[in-house]
Amino acid sequence: MKAPKTRKIVSMIVISATILSAIPAAAVDQALQETLQDALYGVMIGTLVGGATVALSKKPAKHLVNFGVGAGCGAIGGTIFGLAKAVKTLAEIEDGTIKFAMPTIVPEVVDSPTASNNVALSVGLLRITY
């Protein structure tokens, strides 16, 4: 008898946290704000996908954990996507300090009559902030 009541309480906490986290965050750094926003979108999309798997199962009551699994996978995926978007160069010099990170590989469409492939990949190697 205790398990259904506990599930309702946990469900209400998750729903409340989701609604409250939708309030816009005031982040100092634009990259941090975009990463947090991508993580939040990942949680929402993951929860929807997890809910869809529950709705399509034969016994939905036994698969409610899919909501949490979907939200967790979405949070991880959204955070990785946000970090990949935020890091654009291999090395960055800011205020006399050098920071190294994994650069973003950007595909570009090249319009060249001599190239057999119209897609080129570019990578930023150095960014200097004055």
Side-chain angles (χ1 to χ4, degrees):
M1 268 297 189
K2 266 189 170 177
K5 189 173 182 179
T6 306
R7 285 185 191 157
K8 288 180 183 179
I9 292 172
V10 170
S11 298
M12 291 304 295
I13 291 171
V14 169
I15 290 170
S16 300
T18 304
I19 291 171
L20 290 175
S21 66
I23 298 170
V28 176
D29 189 16
Q30 185 69 20
L32 176 63
Q33 183 177 3
E34 288 179 8
T35 302
L36 292 174
Q37 189 174 15
D38 289 337
L40 178 63
Y41 288 152
V43 168
M44 288 190 239
I45 292 169
T47 305
L48 287 174
V49 171
T53 62
V54 170
L56 296 175
S57 64
K58 292 190 187 235
K59 295 184 180 181
K62 292 189 176 191
H63 299 283
L64 293 177
V65 72
N66 291 1
F67 282 106
V69 171
C73 291
I76 293 169
T79 303
I80 290 171
F81 178 75
L83 289 174
K85 271 191 346 185
V87 177
K88 296 189 182 346
T89 59
L90 175 66
E92 181 176 347
I93 301 173
E94 184 177 333
D95 298 329
T97 60
I98 298 175
K99 300 176 186 176
F100 291 99
M102 185 63 136
T104 303
I105 300 171
V106 181
E108 298 176 3
V109 177
V110 178
D111 201 17
S112 173
T114 59
S116 61
N117 194 354
N118 291 340
V119 178
L121 301 175
S122 66
V123 177
L125 297 177
L126 180 64
R127 182 173 126 188
I128 302 173
T129 305
Y130 297 102

